[in-house]
Amino acid sequence: MNNYLIVNAISGLKVILLTVLSLYPFHLWSQNSLSKALDPDSAYRVVVAGPQYKAGPTHKKFLGAHYREEWTTPVRVKVVLLDTAFGGLKPVRSGGRQQTNTLHLEDKEGKPYVLRSIDKSYTEALPEILRGTFIEKWTNDQVSTGHPFAAITVPPMAEAAGIYHARPQIVFVPRQAALDSFNNDFGDALYILEERPDGNQSGTPHFGASKEVISTVELFNRLSLSHTNVVDQQSFARARLFDMFLGDWGRHEDQWRWAAFEQEGEVLYKPIPRDRDQVYTLFDGLLVSLATSADPLENLQSFDSTIKDMEEYNAQARHLDRRLTNRLSWQDWQAIATDLKQSLPDSVIESAVRLMPPEVFPLSGNKIISNLKGRRNQLVEFAEEYYEFLARDVDIAGSMLRERFEVRPVENDKVQVHIFRLDSAGNTEPQPYFSRVFAPRETKEIRLYGLGGEDQYVVDRHINDDFLVRFIGGVGADTYAKVPGDPHESGDISVYDDREDEAKVPDGLKRRPSGNIYNHFYDY
């Protein structure tokens, strides 16, 4: 084969691998045949999680060794009968055919549970023309990048870290009368069985015993409706650092639920992480490494003792992180990371990882423990690097109610941002509900969004020109002002609003009028 053909062949393989791996975060689950044998103890079954991932040396060299041995090693797991599990579970509906193949269940009190199959398939995500081809085979082969039993090792570490968590169990679900019409699709397969963090969880301490658990979509609806709905940003930052510790890189919005707690006239929302399927993921093999080195897939970094590129690694979560950590200073992040590091001693890590089946622990358990300890020891460094990325450009959103945004200089060329609630008469409450000081060495741009209501934007004295500040008016008749006696220039401050409100912008602020509401519409 001449050099031209070799180059084109490699390019073609890279394109194929890019296509394959770009589908990775959107899992589709399938029922693969299981090697199984009855255990002498009828409450258990010996199974092989994924016999199809067995591969020879050449295959491993190019498409990765991953966790193939863990997938193809027989393990002994519990057999679950739904009519007795958790006092009796009833299938409600199947779901997630386009992303996760799951079976939703309820107990006698209506509390939700879920079965999620261990094995996965990407077939449904592929164009019809590629199904049944070697590309489909290669695509599904990359399921082996994930450790089949990783999820059950997380709860003890989450408990020690003070982070809400599910309590997954690895179970074999045989065909049974309790599955009813779901027998054909869900019978005789290996699953994760766990409580689902939704609705009333007042009897579930590991979900905060909250009377109401909501989705991220509903959380953002509530945050926009009222400034009395508040996220516990310190808890969220702690949970995100815990994700980095675990190597859980795919933390998009649907992988969070939010526990609501009423306190002092506000509703505080604390994060509940879920779906730990990406924990400890490996991306080895010549072709896989080539594909993941491409810009769109640089967040697919193998689980190692460190994180090679913090910004790329957190690419999927960056928008959520910007929105839900914008109150926190570096001192906050540092304190959280230091405390998290101390909450994860060697004994907790070692005992947690040893919860994986004893048949597979010798294959990768000690390496995972070593990597977790290395990442634990670097949590403060992880926090600093990620904070610097998030602090560079900061978005701060109000709500649909009336608010007053104040920007003022403080010592050493820093800038302080306050947001106050306004009552129906336009009076400012004495204490701001948002307050943060920004330093020019960390932050280059601050964007203040008023979502609705008749908001007030005020510049108090001259602002350091090193900051770019944007006032972005929302729906409603907003007002813009400078403190009387201020010099003509007020720093680099721009106002984005419709033309009617822009006419009220005082001298010294840069007008950016638009007749298109979407030019100043907030979308985190």
Side-chain angles (χ1 to χ4, degrees):
M1 182 182 291
N2 61 35
N3 289 340
Y4 176 82
L5 292 177
I6 292 173
V7 169
N8 278 277
I10 292 174
S11 298
L13 288 172
K14 186 171 181 178
V15 169
I16 290 169
L17 262 294
L18 282 170
T19 302
V20 167
L21 291 171
S22 68
L23 300 173
Y24 185 85
F26 307 102
H27 286 150
L28 303 160
W29 304 72
S30 69
Q31 305 299 316
N32 285 310
S33 60
L34 295 166
S35 291
K36 55 183 182 289
L38 286 175
D39 190 277
D41 183 343
S42 61
Y44 289 84
R45 182 74 63 91
V46 175
V47 302
V48 174
Q52 70 275 23
Y53 303 122
K54 187 175 181 62
T58 301
H59 188 105
K60 291 179 181 178
K61 180 178 180 180
F62 286 95
L63 290 176
H66 305 327
Y67 289 109
R68 296 182 188 278
E69 287 191 73
E70 288 80 355
W71 281 96
T72 56
T73 296
V75 296
R76 183 172 178 264
V77 298
K78 287 198 305 184
V79 173
V80 162
L81 300 177
L82 298 185
D83 56 1
T84 58
F86 296 101
L89 297 175
K90 180 179 72 173
V92 176
R93 61 183 176 85
S94 60
R97 293 291 180 179
Q98 295 304 311
Q99 294 185 10
T100 57
N101 187 24
T102 61
L103 183 61
H104 297 271
L105 312 161
E106 286 184 356
D107 68 10
K108 293 177 181 178
E109 281 74 45
K111 183 178 178 179
Y113 291 76
V114 66
L115 282 171
R116 298 186 291 116
S117 58
I118 296 292
D119 199 11
K120 309 175 178 76
S121 169
Y122 299 119
T123 297
E124 294 298 322
L126 290 171
E128 191 71 37
I129 194 172
L130 298 180
R131 298 179 191 179
T133 69
F134 73 96
I135 295 178
E136 178 184 358
K137 184 177 179 180
W138 281 16
T139 301
N140 287 330
D141 181 71
Q142 293 306 299
V143 170
S144 59
T145 59
H147 194 298
F149 306 107
I152 60 174
T153 70
V154 175
M157 292 184 284
E159 187 74 25
I163 293 168
Y164 296 154
H165 57 89
R167 295 187 301 185
Q169 302 178 41
I170 305 295
V171 299
F172 181 82
V173 178
R175 294 176 65 88
Q176 56 192 279
L179 277 172
D180 196 27
S181 60
F182 298 101
N183 255 312
N184 289 337
D185 290 333
F186 291 91
D188 288 340
L190 193 62
Y191 291 93
I192 291 174
L193 172 62
E194 63 187 13
E195 299 133 316
R196 181 178 173 87
D198 279 313
N200 186 344
Q201 296 290 338
S202 56
T204 313
H206 46 281
F207 291 155
S210 172
K211 294 180 180 179
E212 185 181 35
V213 176
I214 63 174
S215 69
T216 301
V217 171
E218 179 59 23
L219 172 74
F220 276 98
N221 287 338
R222 296 186 185 188
L223 292 179
S224 68
L225 289 175
S226 174
H227 37 227
T228 60
N229 294 314
V230 181
V231 170
D232 185 338
Q233 294 203 0
Q234 297 223 8
S235 291
F236 182 66
R238 188 181 188 89
R240 288 292 293 118
L241 287 171
F242 187 68
D243 293 338
M244 298 174 209
F245 160 73
L246 293 173
D248 199 354
W249 53 267
R251 303 305 298 170
H252 55 78
E253 286 79 353
D254 194 45
Q255 294 192 327
W256 298 90
R257 290 295 184 265
W258 304 89
F261 302 92
E262 294 186 9
Q263 58 175 34
E264 299 178 357
E266 294 183 336
V267 181
L268 184 69
Y269 294 91
K270 292 178 176 286
I272 304 176
R274 65 175 196 152
D275 295 353
R276 293 298 190 180
D277 301 324
Q278 315 295 354
V279 171
Y280 317 144
T281 311
L282 294 179
F283 299 102
D284 58 343
L286 293 177
L287 293 179
V288 177
S289 297
L290 179 66
T292 55
S293 67
D295 184 61
L297 300 177
E298 285 183 331
N299 65 311
L300 303 183
Q301 299 175 33
S302 276
F303 179 69
D304 203 344
S305 60
T306 190
I307 297 175
K308 297 179 178 64
D309 187 324
M310 186 65 65
E311 184 175 336
E312 291 291 345
Y313 186 74
N314 287 295
Q316 283 200 3
R318 67 190 186 281
H319 300 301
L320 197 62
D321 293 344
R322 285 190 186 282
R323 177 67 175 89
L324 300 182
T325 64
N326 60 12
R327 296 170 181 259
L328 304 181
S329 66
W330 160 237
Q331 288 72 26
D332 293 324
W333 279 89
Q334 184 180 39
I336 293 166
T338 300
D339 186 70
L340 179 60
K341 178 180 176 180
Q342 293 172 350
S343 72
L344 294 167
D346 290 354
S347 58
V348 168
I349 293 172
E350 291 165 3
S351 60
V353 176
R354 286 188 176 276
L355 288 176
M356 66 177 59
E359 300 90 339
V360 302
F361 176 83
L363 302 176
S364 55
N366 286 321
K367 180 63 174 176
I368 289 171
I369 288 172
S370 176
N371 287 341
L372 285 171
K373 290 178 180 178
R375 295 167 88 98
R376 184 260 331 263
N377 293 340
Q378 298 173 79
L379 278 170
V380 176
E381 289 81 0
F382 290 172
E384 183 175 17
E385 187 175 352
Y386 198 46
Y387 169 79
E388 289 175 353
F389 165 67
L390 294 175
R392 197 180 311 150
D393 303 295
V394 179
D395 292 344
I396 304 170
S399 72
M400 298 301 292
L401 301 180
R402 300 186 70 188
E403 285 136 341
R404 178 183 176 90
F405 297 80
E406 289 189 1
V407 180
R408 64 180 63 184
V410 289
E411 74 284 352
N412 300 323
D413 292 329
K414 296 178 182 178
V415 164
Q416 186 173 57
V417 174
H418 284 324
I419 308 179
F420 297 87
R421 299 182 176 98
L422 298 177
D423 63 22
S424 57
N427 299 314
T428 305
E429 291 190 357
Q431 296 298 321
Y433 76 85
F434 179 100
S435 181
R436 180 174 167 186
V437 173
F438 297 91
R441 63 180 179 81
E442 295 176 348
T443 303
K444 302 306 177 187
E445 183 170 336
I446 304 169
R447 297 181 284 261
L448 304 176
Y449 291 86
L451 305 187
E454 297 177 351
D455 297 319
Q456 300 173 7
Y457 296 82
V458 180
V459 181
D460 185 351
R461 300 185 301 280
H462 183 78
I463 302 301
N464 184 346
D465 289 343
D466 289 339
F467 291 99
L468 170 59
V469 179
R470 302 184 195 270
F471 290 159
I472 307 169
V475 178
D478 303 318
T479 60
Y480 303 90
K482 295 191 301 179
V483 170
D486 209 32
H488 181 71
E489 292 296 333
S490 296
D492 194 356
I493 299 179
S494 296
V495 175
Y496 298 77
D497 210 325
D498 58 42
R499 291 189 174 92
E500 182 178 346
D501 283 350
E502 281 281 342
K504 306 170 187 175
V505 175
D507 291 338
L509 307 186
K510 298 175 183 178
R511 296 173 172 84
R512 311 289 187 190
S514 173
N516 185 348
I517 184 63
Y518 291 104
N519 288 342
H520 44 93
F521 179 78
Y522 177 67
D523 181 353
Y524 81 96

